[in-house]
Amino acid sequence: MDVRELLRFDGSLPDPRETPGVKGKEKARKETAALAPELTDLQERLFANGKLGDPRKVLLVLQGMDASGKDGTVKHVVGQVNPAGCRITSFGKPTKEELAHDFLWRITNALPAAGQIGVFNRSHYEDVLIVRVHDLVPRTVWSRRYARINAFEKRVAASGGSVVKVFLHISPEEQKQRLLDRLEDPTKHWKIGTADIPERHRWDDYQAAYLDALAKCSTDIAPWYVVPADRKWYRDWAVSNLLAETLRSLDLSWPTPSGVNLKGMKKELLAE
Ligand code: AMP
Ligand code: MG
């Protein structure tokens, strides 16, 4: 089974409660846990190769409505690998300095280095999502950004980046439940923003903006994957598999340093 094949955006959005590729929470949790050692191994290989000059890196882009599980994905999926090899960036409302630059400025500054897994919790896509829904810039400006995003991602790929873009697709009913849970749990109050409830009234505008972004920016070098995300166990299973398949496809062997005489060094050490 190829989960990338299964979840690749095909022009329409699935039911957020679906679980393509695995049936049942128990089985999914078991399979996700079984992937962890492989993910760790693959990431260490990527990191080792990066140290020795291999330019390759992975960029995982997480997008989704509020409470769609972006933070949970970072915690449960990315949390399975060595944090030393990850570069995780959350993009919120741009600062004054960021606004003074082109929208790709802060994004470019947060790209992973060779050997790293970069994770974007929200991304440059906000500049064609919330920015479009709230008319933060004129249509003439945001409508040109899709092509700029494609060109940008093409450059990332050309410099050795495997771009994995994930849309965590939840239903408005599930979001309502999760926001209610947040409101009832003092340990989650810090996550709540004043705009969270009013933003729900723009659900359809956001879905339209997402559909456009997925349709215009799903390219062969940087496809979009749609993960039905009403069930957290499915979300973790799906993103773990997308990451594992991406890393596997890099065919990472353990690198040997050039110009280092390993045999000679061993001999020298033993002769001390
Ligand atoms: P959260 O992810 O809950 O911490 O919220 C971050 C907020 O920042 C969300 O409402 C995003 O839509 C918003 N945000 C992220 N990027 C941008 C952007 N480029 N322009 C305007 N708002 C943004
Ligand atoms: Mg929020």
Side-chain angles (χ1 to χ4, degrees):
M1 182 182 32
D2 190 87
V3 179
R4 289 187 296 180
E5 200 77 38
L6 212 54
L7 297 182
R8 191 170 167 157
F9 176 66
D10 67 357
S12 62
L13 296 178
D15 182 330
R17 294 182 63 78
E18 271 176 32
T19 65
V22 66
K23 290 283 159 270
K25 182 175 179 172
E26 206 101 313
K27 186 157 187 279
R29 286 264 184 245
K30 217 179 263 176
E31 288 183 16
T32 306
L35 267 183
E38 190 193 355
L39 276 174
T40 302
D41 175 72
L42 288 168
Q43 185 226 10
E44 281 180 2
R45 287 169 189 252
L46 179 69
F47 190 80
N49 280 285
K51 278 285 165 205
L52 297 189
D54 186 332
R56 289 179 299 174
K57 65 274 278 175
V58 170
L59 176 62
L60 176 66
V61 174
L62 299 174
Q63 280 291 159
M65 300 295 285
D66 242 323
S68 60
K70 300 181 293 299
D71 294 337
T73 304
V74 172
K75 184 173 172 180
H76 297 290
V77 177
V78 184
Q80 298 177 102
V81 303
N82 186 345
C86 298
R87 182 169 188 199
I88 302 164
T89 311
S90 298
F91 293 99
K93 206 168 166 273
T95 61
K96 226 171 162 192
E97 187 188 21
E98 286 168 349
L99 278 177
H101 289 85
D102 179 70
F103 77 104
L104 290 171
W105 179 73
R106 63 175 184 166
I107 304 297
T108 307
N109 288 341
L111 284 173
Q116 285 183 329
I117 296 180
V119 181
F120 285 176
N121 184 340
R122 301 191 190 268
S123 66
H124 41 303
Y125 283 94
E126 293 292 326
D127 292 279
V128 290
L129 294 166
I130 187 170
V131 167
R132 164 175 162 167
V133 169
H134 283 273
D135 293 312
L136 300 181
V137 300
R139 169 182 277 266
T140 49
V141 174
W142 61 252
S143 63
R144 288 197 199 105
R145 287 181 173 166
Y146 301 101
R148 295 224 23 233
I149 288 174
N150 288 340
F152 167 73
E153 290 175 358
K154 204 168 160 186
R155 286 198 300 280
V156 173
S159 64
S162 296
V163 186
V164 184
K165 301 184 296 193
V166 174
F167 172 42
L168 299 176
H169 177 44
I170 56 164
S171 63
E173 297 77 25
E174 178 66 19
Q175 190 203 46
K176 183 174 181 178
Q177 190 53 54
R178 291 186 189 178
L179 291 177
L180 271 173
D181 291 346
R182 279 184 188 178
L183 288 166
E184 281 162 12
D185 180 352
T187 70
K188 289 182 180 162
H189 286 170
W190 63 273
K191 280 198 174 200
I192 298 166
T194 46
D196 289 359
I197 314 300
E199 280 298 81
R200 284 177 54 75
H201 302 310
R202 304 186 189 245
W203 191 273
D204 292 345
D205 292 344
Y206 270 106
Q207 297 302 296
Y210 264 107
L211 261 176
D212 241 17
L214 297 176
K216 291 183 198 291
C217 299
S218 214
T219 57
D220 280 335
I221 51 112
W224 268 107
Y225 301 103
V226 182
V227 171
D230 271 12
R231 302 171 199 270
K232 293 175 181 174
W233 52 264
Y234 180 74
R235 169 201 79 200
D236 292 345
W237 178 91
V239 183
S240 296
N241 272 287
L242 291 172
L243 201 54
E245 286 174 7
T246 302
L247 286 164
R248 274 182 213 134
S249 72
L250 298 181
D251 235 337
L252 297 156
S253 50
W254 286 105
T256 38
S258 60
V260 178
N261 179 359
L262 299 173
K263 269 192 193 141
M265 285 178 74
K266 189 174 171 187
K267 211 169 141 193
E268 191 184 336
L269 193 61
L270 289 171
E272 272 179 7

